[in-house]
Amino acid sequence: MTHPAIPSDSVVGQAAPVLSAKPVVLDGGDRGVDLHVKVSAPAAGENLPVILFSHGFGSSGEMYQPLVDFYAAHGFVVVQPTYLDSRALGVDPHDPRAPQFWRLRIEDAKRVLDNLDTVVGAIPGLAPRVDADRIGAVGHSFGGQTTALLLGLRVLAPAGHGQDLSDSRVKAGVLLATAGTGGDDLAPGIIDNLPWLNVSFDEMRTPALVVYGDHDQSVLTTRGPDWGADAFRLSPAPKSLLRLSGIEHSLGGAVGYDSFETTDNNPAAVAVLQRTTTAYLRTQLGIDASAWDRLVSELRDDANGLAFVESK
């Protein structure tokens, strides 16, 4: 039995112990309830960049430990807001705020960045070690769209009017299993229930790595799994694409340890995802200028073909 190659430690650096604090409570403003945030960081290190991590629909800022723990152990401060659509908050699907979940997520994400000093201050001694000028964003599924909006994605009618909701503080993004275009590519009835899926990638100019599984057949679209590559295909350069072979929407188990949401348990895929996304952010946020190139070279030599990368 052959196993896929997993990129080496040379592209991500050595792991360090991780410290976490939760919940950090921020005033939720018009959302109606306080915003809870989890923060994780390496126990040592200076000039640490920040990752704003956005969970999928119904999940929470308590999940995605396989990625968050890895990022924090390898030199990033990870902040995880729990958005209003989280099952943990129990907001009724018919709540009048529900049609605005997509926009409230953006407001929450920016609220976290506006209050970053407070969030990182929850871990004693962390604040002086953070470089708030180096911020990346990562999101899965609905969280991928949240991240994409911070990078320049536009939501079109009927939910939006193409407003620019991007944030210049975010220097790069990673979109994990993110929805593609709307319009005729959406399955019948989806636009009525999830109108924010009608989007345009034309103005998504911030650098990003788009990740999708080639077995992720979404019920939201009439197309195949390649729908998940639209954020790469249809947005301006510079962008990179990671395709994971045989992997579904939960990306091998990235949503959480032993999560019921995982339909495609594959520890090797998670290991590749951890290292690929870390290497990308290490390069984009100025930690290691050659980490991404070295990782791409290692994947190119993987004869077992789990991961495929292209860039533009």
Side-chain angles (χ1 to χ4, degrees), residues 82-232:
T82 292
Y83 295 118
L84 202 58
D85 56 86
S86 172
R87 290 184 295 270
L89 299 182
V91 176
D92 190 291
H94 302 293
D95 187 284
R97 293 169 292 181
Q100 296 298 316
F101 276 161
W102 68 276
R103 189 185 297 272
L104 291 169
R105 278 171 160 256
I106 293 298
E107 293 177 5
D108 284 346
K110 294 183 178 184
R111 183 176 288 114
V112 171
L113 297 183
D114 290 344
N115 293 277
L116 192 58
D117 287 347
T118 298
V119 174
V120 301
I123 296 179
L126 176 59
R129 299 194 290 123
V130 174
D131 184 350
D133 291 326
R134 296 193 295 177
I135 297 175
V138 179
H140 175 249
S141 194
F142 194 19
Q145 187 187 73
T146 304
T147 300
L149 282 161
L150 294 171
L151 308 182
L153 178 76
R154 304 292 200 265
V155 171
L156 307 177
H161 303 285
Q163 302 99 317
D164 180 5
L165 299 175
S166 63
D167 195 309
S168 61
R169 291 172 292 187
V170 178
K171 308 304 183 186
V174 176
L175 312 182
L176 306 173
T178 303
T181 53
D184 293 339
D185 287 341
L186 295 177
I190 294 300
I191 195 68
D192 297 324
N193 296 310
L194 305 173
W196 55 77
L197 289 181
N198 196 34
V199 301
S200 169
F201 295 100
D202 292 349
E203 302 300 324
M204 199 181 81
R205 301 186 182 280
T206 304
L209 170 63
V210 178
V211 181
Y212 81 105
D214 67 6
H215 278 44
D216 183 5
Q217 181 56 62
S218 175
V219 299
L220 302 176
T221 181
T222 57
R223 288 171 47 197
D226 70 311
W227 190 54
D230 281 358
F232 170 76

Side-chain angles (χ1 to χ4, degrees), residues 18 40-42 49 51 53 64-78 138 174 176 273-279 281:
V18 172
S40 303
I51 295 174
F53 196 105
Y64 299 92
Q65 304 97 323
L67 293 179
V68 171
D69 291 349
F70 194 88
Y71 295 153
H74 290 84
F76 295 91
V77 177
V78 187
V138 179
V174 176
L176 306 173
L273 180 65
Q274 289 169 330
R275 291 168 180 270
T276 304
T277 54
T278 298
L281 291 169

